[in-house]
Amino acid sequence: GAGVSQTPSNKVTEKGKYVELRCDPISGHTALYWYRQSLGQGPEFLIYFQGTGAADDSGLPNDRFFAVRPEGSVSTLKIQRTERGDSAVYLCASSLSAGGYNEQFFGPGTRLTVL
Amino acid sequence: EDKVVQSPLSLVVHEGDTVTLNCSYEVTNFRSLLWYKQEKKAPTFLFMLTSSGIEKKSGRLSSILDKKELSSILNITATQTGDSAIYLCAVERGSTLGRLYFGRGTQLTVWP
């Protein structure tokens, strides 16, 4: 595609529910990143994939958060037992690869609201 | 603890003014510094800086890195209302390739 796309654009859920957020990177980009941005803050790193494998998942806040990229393209961020503190904009980015001074291109984000 | 600090946090100017946004960083194993513009939700890439003293320029925007002072500035000349946005600074470390450490951003508002 022309750019990084994310679905849904908005998601409202109730505390305790499970949610999945999807990211479709730019075609040909092997690296994919997830960030979370709370109001008034800069994006905070969660996890990144090089191909199908998670190269760095040290930003995931706890074991309720999990992400997959089974075919090296689309990625899904999964959040179990959502809490009100999970409310934020979840941004996905992709780049040609990690480590080659390649800029990251961001998608429009998914605004998650946990009631 | 690694830190990226931007100043000012917000700035209001009139069209035609020139602005300078600041970013300072304290990270180990510095690799690159990036500037992004964020309108609504998606940050869009502006510049990547890796070497000290070399200015990068794109139209009315320019940026330079000072590795000795551990800082960078982003200049915008002849500001327009379309420049209103949050400007984000991010740093990449060589030991954690791919992972960007962002500052809180500078909210720039340009009045007509």
Side-chain angles (χ1 to χ4, degrees):
Chain A
V4 178
S5 61
Q6 293 187 244
T7 54
S9 54
N10 287 283
K11 176 71 178 177
V12 180
T13 191
E14 292 178 344
K15 182 174 177 294
K17 298 289 188 185
Y18 168 83
V19 296
E20 289 189 351
L21 312 179
R22 176 189 165 108
C23 172
D24 203 336
I26 292 172
S27 179
H29 281 193
T30 62
L32 184 148
Y33 313 81
W34 284 99
Y35 293 85
R36 175 169 74 173
Q37 188 173 23
S38 302
L39 196 61
Q41 304 295 319
E44 176 193 21
F45 172 83
L46 296 175
I47 184 171
Y48 101 84
F49 292 86
Q50 182 62 53
T52 59
D56 182 352
D57 65 358
S58 60
L60 294 176
N62 51 59
D63 61 6
R64 296 185 299 105
F65 288 75
F66 189 70
V68 295
R69 195 185 185 201
E71 297 178 0
S73 179
V74 170
S75 175
T76 305
L77 178 66
K78 308 179 182 199
I79 311 174
Q80 298 177 320
R81 304 183 304 280
T82 50
E83 299 177 357
R84 292 197 180 87
D86 299 335
S87 296
V89 174
Y90 288 80
L91 294 166
C92 176
S94 71
S95 67
L96 278 172
S97 67
Y101 295 106
N102 298 305
E103 62 265 32
Q104 296 181 21
F105 295 87
F106 282 82
T110 293
R111 182 178 300 280
L112 175 67
T113 304
V114 182
L115 300 176
Chain B
E1 184 182 314
D2 297 321
K3 275 196 307 192
V4 179
V5 178
Q6 293 187 244
S7 64
L9 288 181
S10 67
L11 188 56
V12 180
V13 300
H14 285 98
E15 268 194 323
D17 288 350
T18 292
V19 298
T20 297
L21 311 182
N22 300 283
C23 176
S24 64
Y25 59 91
E26 288 179 35
V27 301
T28 53
N29 199 213
F30 171 87
R31 188 166 193 261
S32 64
L33 184 145
L34 297 89
W35 285 97
Y36 284 85
K37 177 182 181 183
Q38 187 173 30
E39 298 169 278
K40 297 183 182 177
K41 285 192 281 187
T44 54
F45 173 78
L46 296 175
F47 299 111
M48 178 186 289
L49 304 159
T50 57
S51 301
S52 244
I54 298 174
E55 184 183 54
K56 293 232 174 160
K57 199 168 168 65
S58 175
R60 296 177 294 102
L61 278 66
S62 64
S63 184
I64 196 161
L65 176 67
D66 186 338
K67 283 187 180 179
K68 190 175 172 187
E69 296 296 325
L70 306 183
S71 65
S72 172
I73 59 171
L74 175 68
N75 282 316
I76 309 175
T77 59
T79 51
Q80 302 171 357
T81 55
D83 295 328
S84 295
I86 296 172
Y87 290 84
L88 294 165
C89 171
V91 169
E92 185 187 23
R93 297 169 56 205
S95 50
T96 53
L97 289 178
R99 176 176 184 159
L100 295 181
Y101 297 81
F102 282 87
R104 289 180 62 183
T106 293
Q107 171 76 63
L108 174 66
T109 303
V110 182
W111 287 358

